[in-house]
Amino acid sequence: MDESSVDSVMVGRGALSKPWIFKEFNENETWAPDTNERIEVYRTLANYMKDHFGDDSMGRKKAFNFLPWHFEFLSRYNPYPEDKFSAQSAEKPLIQSRITISTDDLSPLEILLSNRCHDAHNLIAGLLWDSDSNANAVKKLNELAESSEFREILSNGGVNKGEDTVLTNLPKGRAGKWEKRRDRKPGPKRNDEEIRKIRADRAAKKATILEEGGVWPPQ
């Protein structure tokens, strides 16, 4: 931005597969998180949804209209070191390039996180939601990566049919079409008393964290 004198830069899809891109902007350096650090980021997203929708069965139903969907993008993350991809990125944005990364050297956990199957995304989202710590999330995801359940997903194919159509075509028509296209059922409704209780719980949680010297929202 200093060199071009532009006032702003629009960040699009890159933020969906690499949400820490804003951290890189702020610190003016590349961050290449390892597998455990990425899981911590993903679990933070799940916790934000818990705070927003509520940490109960109804909140989970609402959040799961979105949380597994994010892994359609997060599963696409690949580190592209500047020393290897600088010239190629100057010719064409890497996000618009079909770059095949070999899975031969990937750990089972990395193979799980890069899987494009919606069934895998639902399982990942469920484990992140239920984990009570980052270490617990890593443990559970490692177990899933080695499980017969995930091997069955791999054997049945790792990419959803019609994936590009869902991700690239914008919904048309009146509001509500998007949910129909993704086979979503209307979310559960809360009554006023339930909403007041959730807001009060959030406010109490925030006050407790700040009183103890913590940071809000939680990192």
Side-chain angles (χ1 to χ4, degrees):
M1 292 177 68
D2 291 337
E3 294 175 359
S4 63
S5 298
V6 298
D7 293 323
S8 62
V9 175
M10 183 176 71
V11 180
R13 276 187 165 188
L16 289 170
S17 59
K18 182 181 172 180
W20 51 88
I21 194 170
F22 302 104
K23 170 184 172 69
E24 295 181 331
F25 289 159
N26 288 334
E27 299 178 1
N28 197 28
E29 64 179 3
T30 300
W31 185 47
D34 60 27
T35 308
N36 289 8
E37 289 171 326
R38 280 164 47 215
I39 290 173
E40 183 176 347
V41 172
Y42 302 158
R43 182 169 171 267
T44 298
L45 172 62
N47 285 338
Y48 284 160
M49 289 193 178
K50 280 186 179 182
D51 288 335
H52 181 74
F53 293 111
D55 187 8
D56 57 9
S57 59
M58 190 175 293
R60 182 186 178 112
K61 287 181 180 178
K62 284 179 172 288
F64 271 60
N65 284 326
F66 308 100
L67 185 56
W69 175 85
H70 278 282
F71 282 92
E72 293 183 8
F73 291 97
L74 296 173
S75 63
R76 296 173 177 223
Y77 169 73
N78 277 312
Y80 297 120
E82 187 173 356
D83 58 340
K84 294 182 179 180
F85 292 94
S86 178
Q88 185 175 349
S89 66
E91 296 175 2
K92 183 180 181 180
L94 296 179
I95 198 168
Q96 297 177 7
S97 305
R98 294 291 183 179
I99 300 175
T100 302
I101 304 295
S102 173
T103 60
D104 293 342
D105 298 326
L106 294 182
S107 67
L109 182 54
E110 280 288 359
I111 292 174
L112 169 65
L113 294 178
S114 63
N115 189 271
R116 303 286 182 84
C117 179
H118 187 64
D119 289 340
H121 300 166
N122 275 326
L123 292 172
I124 292 170
L127 293 179
L128 291 171
W129 186 274
D130 294 334
S131 297
D132 55 12
S133 68
N134 294 327
N136 184 239
V138 172
K139 178 178 180 293
K140 288 183 176 182
L141 289 171
N142 267 309
E143 291 172 351
L144 173 61
E146 301 276 8
S147 69
S148 59
E149 187 173 14
F150 182 56
R151 284 196 295 272
E152 184 177 349
I153 290 174
L154 289 175
S155 66
N156 290 334
V159 180
N160 286 328
K161 295 180 179 179
E163 172 199 32
D164 288 339
T165 302
V166 172
L167 294 181
T168 59
N169 291 344
L170 293 175
K172 297 178 181 179
R174 61 184 178 80
K177 289 287 187 178
W178 182 237
E179 290 193 352
K180 293 179 181 178
R181 294 180 56 199
R182 294 186 54 78
D183 298 323
R184 290 178 180 162
K185 298 179 180 179
K189 303 298 183 182
R190 300 182 189 276
N191 58 43
D192 291 342
E193 183 179 351
E194 290 174 323
I195 292 173
R196 285 194 293 270
K197 183 178 184 305
I198 289 174
R199 288 175 175 170
D201 289 344
R202 289 178 188 164
K205 179 179 179 180
K206 177 180 179 180
T208 300
I209 290 174
L210 294 177
E211 287 175 1
E212 294 175 350
V215 177
W216 185 267
Q219 300 299 313

